Amino acid sequence: MRYATSLFFLFVSLLSFAGHAQQSISQRLSQQLTESAATQLNADLHLGELTVNGLTDELSARQVRLATRVAQLSEPLNQLIIADQIELAGDWQSLGQQRVAIKQLRLSGAQLTLAYYGTGQSNLHQLLDKLQQLQKPRYQPAQASDEPVSWQLEQLQFTDVTINLFDRGEPIASVHVPELIIEELDRSNSTDAEIKALIFPIIEQLLRQWRQGSDTIQVNGPALTRFLMREALAF
């Protein structure tokens, strides 16, 4: 479920394209992000309110919705992220460079829906595949490398987030996460490796709550077991 992080990938790559827009003009930046999501990622992005704070190096977005356009999925399974607020803290002067360093991504009051339609195939996989294909911004110097923009995320923090897992249209798990922190994420060379880096901490949280009999989790045990065994073979 290299989830969340999905929106991080989106912002890092798309902000690299929009990095030369004046950050004080939030509406312009929001429009650029929305248009880039549609043209570069084949996804629909809605930002209710976008704020860039140059003094604290933070970017925040409220009422965020990110939907993929996977033909194999019926609605609303393409609704990857619905969040009250997303905050990014980092060095925004690095936007548009080959390396982007983000200190922290905070995702709060959110619902994340990871929908698989085959082995190693999901709405998140498709989004990450698109991100892998993105090349460096057009305004890069001619001598610059044509390799995709790389990134580093020091910390990913979930607060008050519900994660839903579907497999071939069947709901197999839903877990509420009061808080989950994942440290030191780096862009790798494959989508599968990126998925693996996030799915294990989330699955561990899911299984822990399941064993404890938490009332904040709903699980189809046999379906979840089949799913985990199948996907484990894909890594």
Side-chain angles (χ1 to χ4, degrees):
M1 288 182 208
R2 186 166 188 146
Y3 242 38
T5 166
S6 250
L7 199 58
F8 165 70
F9 302 145
L10 173 71
F11 272 116
V12 167
S13 292
L14 297 187
L15 281 171
S16 296
F17 283 92
H20 278 249
Q22 294 187 18
Q23 294 180 355
S24 61
I25 308 177
S26 297
Q27 289 184 340
R28 179 180 176 185
L29 182 55
S30 178
Q31 181 179 356
Q32 287 181 317
L33 287 168
T34 301
E35 292 175 352
S36 294
T39 58
Q40 302 292 335
L41 302 179
N42 194 31
D44 298 307
L45 174 66
H46 171 79
L47 301 171
E49 181 181 350
L50 181 67
T51 303
V52 179
N53 190 328
L55 296 177
T56 61
D57 285 335
E58 290 187 343
L59 181 148
S60 64
R62 298 182 61 84
Q63 303 303 317
V64 178
R65 295 197 306 271
L66 174 63
T68 52
R69 301 172 181 173
V70 180
Q72 294 89 337
L73 295 175
S74 59
E75 295 300 331
L77 298 185
N78 271 305
Q79 300 294 324
L80 183 62
I81 297 176
I82 301 175
D84 290 339
Q85 184 161 335
I86 291 176
E87 298 175 329
L88 290 170
D91 179 12
W92 301 115
Q93 294 182 1
S94 66
L95 291 176
Q97 304 302 314
Q98 185 175 358
R99 185 83 180 167
V100 177
I102 303 298
K103 295 179 180 178
Q104 188 181 64
L105 166 63
R106 300 184 294 271
L107 186 67
S108 59
Q111 177 170 286
L112 308 178
T113 298
L114 179 60
Y116 277 73
Y117 53 92
T119 302
Q121 297 177 305
S122 72
N123 51 357
L124 182 57
H125 281 79
Q126 184 168 113
L127 184 68
L128 294 182
D129 283 341
K130 291 291 184 181
L131 287 167
Q132 288 281 359
Q133 296 168 13
L134 290 181
Q135 298 298 306
K136 298 188 70 174
R138 298 175 184 175
Y139 53 78
Q140 288 286 331
Q143 67 271 21
S145 169
D146 288 331
E147 295 180 357
V149 175
S150 61
W151 54 261
Q152 179 179 11
L153 172 62
E154 294 181 10
Q155 186 183 88
L156 171 63
Q157 179 177 333
F158 292 104
T159 303
D160 186 24
V161 174
T162 298
I163 301 172
N164 304 310
L165 178 60
F166 286 79
D167 187 28
R168 295 169 179 168
E170 180 182 15
I172 58 177
S174 179
V175 58
H176 179 260
V177 179
E179 184 176 70
L180 177 63
I181 297 177
I182 303 175
E183 307 280 357
E184 296 295 338
L185 296 171
D186 280 278
R187 179 174 182 152
S188 62
N189 293 325
S190 71
T191 295
D192 285 340
E194 292 178 355
I195 294 287
K196 182 179 179 181
L198 273 175
I199 192 173
F200 288 144
I202 293 173
I203 290 295
E204 287 175 0
Q205 177 85 355
L206 188 158
L207 294 176
R208 185 180 305 114
Q209 292 192 31
W210 188 18
R211 287 193 297 266
Q212 293 172 349
S214 172
D215 58 4
T216 61
I217 183 171
Q218 299 177 7
V219 176
N220 180 331
L224 178 61
T225 300
R226 290 193 299 269
F227 168 79
L228 293 176
M229 292 181 65
R230 185 192 77 208
E231 291 302 316
L233 297 176
F235 287 126

